[in-house]
Amino acid sequence: MWKKLSSDYLAAANALRGKNKRRRVVAYVESYDDILFWRTILDYAEDETRYFDIMLPNINRRLERGKKSAVAALVKNRQIGQYMIACVDADYDYLMQGSTYSSADILNNPYVLHTYAYSIENLQCYAESLRNVCVMATLNDQVHFDFAAFIHSYSLIIYPLFVWNVWYYRRGRYNEFPLLELCQMVELKKNVPLHEVLNILAQKVEKKVNALERHHPHEKMSYDALSKELQETLGIKPEDTYLYIQGHFLFEHIVTPLLHRVCRALVREREEEIRRSALHSTQARNELSCYTNSVQDVQQMLKKNTGYTRSEVFKRIVADAQRLDCAGNQALLN
């Protein structure tokens, strides 16, 4: 069905419905997990003239996932336009600034919305919202760990290495410092107290950065220029570097383990409180059973986290969607 759909086809279908009916705009997303996120975004772009119908690309009855099917095929077939758009994770394409074909397709097409951050998973890990994720999972509001400070400190530590990784990718030298190696370098050491883990990471990152600087003794100016561009032109703050590294890695290997550590402590604290306050063992068992049944899976709560709506990145995506809406309204009035 999706091969037959195009912006022109939908324009004709909308015209048949009459001038006073809201226009239907199809928005293709990459996977089921993306639907809620883009619905949250596109709600801001709907009004009395148009509404968005979020769909997944379906090719030959086989669900195709990923940006390649959601964007490349739509662009190639000239299907997207005023009434058909694509909504995708930016991955590194925002950072590449058109230096690759996929980056150019995403950044230069007004009917492609992207996340700016590497992926939706990065935004689900929005630092200022992690405290509430803990509360949702444990039903314990006594969270004494400063997630935002930890994640921002983590970002500041990894930022120099992140810039080097982008430096290599901008030059097409992916194999010399691949994204997988960056993830391995910035992974937190397990079974180490949280007050020590960032110091260990800082030492590891510094060692790698020093090695890269020795390997490229004449590239300081190009490195500094890239860092300046990332911050001043692309709006990437060093303390928010976590939003631009690989999303799955951040979700699975940094934020989820961190949440598990804190949430385990919160659950134990709540259970001890129930035991202390219970009048007898039967009441304690009943209260503990009730509490245990109410505790939620941390990772599932993180997937459902919408605290990113407070972030500047979210606001940028909404602004893009609203500008798309304004262009559509102008066209409808002609």
Side-chain angles (χ1 to χ4, degrees):
M1 175 64 182
W2 85 292
K3 280 190 173 182
K4 298 178 182 178
L5 285 178
S6 68
S7 180
D8 291 342
Y9 175 90
L10 290 167
N14 282 326
L16 290 174
R17 300 179 63 207
K19 293 183 178 180
N20 297 324
K21 296 291 185 179
R22 296 173 79 200
R23 269 43 177 175
R24 177 193 181 210
V25 181
V26 168
Y28 278 112
V29 300
E30 298 180 64
S31 71
Y32 291 114
D33 292 336
D34 300 339
I35 292 174
L36 175 60
F37 176 83
W38 287 108
R39 168 44 55 200
T40 306
I41 293 285
L42 295 174
D43 275 347
Y44 289 90
E46 291 186 338
D47 57 22
E48 68 280 0
T49 68
R50 67 195 290 153
Y51 69 93
F52 290 88
D53 188 0
I54 297 177
M55 299 176 64
L56 292 163
N58 193 333
I59 305 175
N60 296 330
R61 298 181 181 179
R62 179 166 57 89
L63 187 65
E64 295 282 349
R65 297 186 180 186
K67 196 159 44 177
K68 184 175 181 180
S69 64
V71 176
L74 292 172
V75 172
K76 180 181 178 181
N77 297 329
R78 299 181 180 178
Q79 290 172 266
I80 60 176
Q82 181 183 335
Y83 296 105
M84 180 180 286
I85 66 172
C87 305
V88 299
D89 288 336
D91 296 343
Y92 254 27
D93 287 319
Y94 175 57
L95 305 177
M96 293 300 99
Q97 285 297 291
S99 60
T100 64
Y101 288 118
S102 62
S103 176
D105 281 344
I106 287 175
L107 299 185
N108 297 334
N109 196 309
Y111 300 109
V112 176
L113 298 178
H114 65 86
T115 55
Y116 290 99
Y118 189 96
S119 72
I120 290 169
E121 288 174 301
N122 299 72
L123 290 165
Q124 289 170 335
C125 296
Y126 180 55
E128 281 72 13
S129 70
L130 296 180
R131 183 183 189 278
N132 286 353
V133 173
C134 268
V135 175
M136 287 192 296
T138 67
L139 304 180
N140 186 346
D141 191 42
Q142 303 303 307
V143 183
H144 302 300
F145 183 77
D146 192 338
F147 285 102
F150 183 91
I151 295 297
H152 291 314
S153 294
Y154 170 82
S155 293
L156 287 169
I157 290 170
I158 70 172
Y159 176 75
L161 204 54
F162 164 75
V163 176
W164 272 115
N165 188 244
V166 176
W167 186 90
Y168 276 99
Y169 271 66
R170 283 276 187 99
R171 286 156 177 77
R173 298 160 64 174
Y174 316 111
N175 295 330
E176 295 182 46
F177 187 18
L179 193 54
L180 176 60
E181 184 180 351
L182 173 67
C183 292
Q184 292 171 342
M185 290 299 306
V186 301
E187 188 169 2
L188 296 175
K189 195 171 181 63
K190 296 179 176 62
N191 302 319
V192 173
L194 289 176
H195 67 275
E196 297 178 10
V197 72
L198 291 181
N199 289 332
I200 295 173
L201 175 67
Q203 293 171 11
K204 182 169 64 170
V205 168
E206 183 180 14
K207 183 178 179 181
K208 178 65 175 179
V209 169
N210 289 340
L212 290 169
E213 289 175 348
R214 288 194 300 270
H215 188 63
H216 299 287
H218 305 297
E219 298 294 348
K220 186 179 187 309
M221 288 184 63
S222 63
Y223 173 92
D224 289 343
L226 174 59
S227 179
K228 183 178 180 180
E229 179 193 344
L230 292 175
Q231 294 184 52
E232 297 183 3
T233 304
L234 303 189
I236 298 173
K237 300 176 182 178
E239 63 268 28
D240 289 337
T241 306
Y242 75 98
L243 292 172
Y244 302 93
I245 63 175
Q246 189 183 61
H248 181 73
F249 163 78
L250 176 74
F251 190 101
E252 294 283 345
H253 297 283
I254 301 298
V255 174
T256 295
L258 179 62
L259 287 169
H260 274 303
R261 280 200 190 195
V262 177
C263 286
R264 279 195 296 267
L266 290 171
V267 169
R268 286 196 301 268
E269 180 184 278
R270 180 65 77 206
E271 290 174 343
E272 290 170 3
E273 179 187 318
I274 290 171
R275 292 188 184 96
R276 286 196 307 270
S277 60
L279 298 176
H280 44 75
S281 59
T282 301
Q283 184 186 36
R285 283 197 302 273
N286 290 339
E287 288 292 330
L288 284 169
S289 177
C290 181
Y291 176 65
T292 300
N293 291 332
S294 299
V295 170
Q296 301 293 320
D297 179 75
V298 172
Q299 195 169 57
Q300 289 303 311
M301 291 299 98
L302 188 57
K303 285 185 177 181
K304 295 177 181 179
N305 180 29
T306 58
Y308 53 74
T309 55
R310 293 178 283 153
S311 70
E312 291 302 315
V313 173
F314 179 84
K315 294 172 184 176
R316 291 183 72 181
I317 307 169
V318 167
D320 288 344
Q322 290 174 330
R323 280 194 289 271
L324 177 71
D325 190 38
C326 290
N329 285 337
Q330 290 170 0
L332 288 173
L333 293 173
N334 292 333

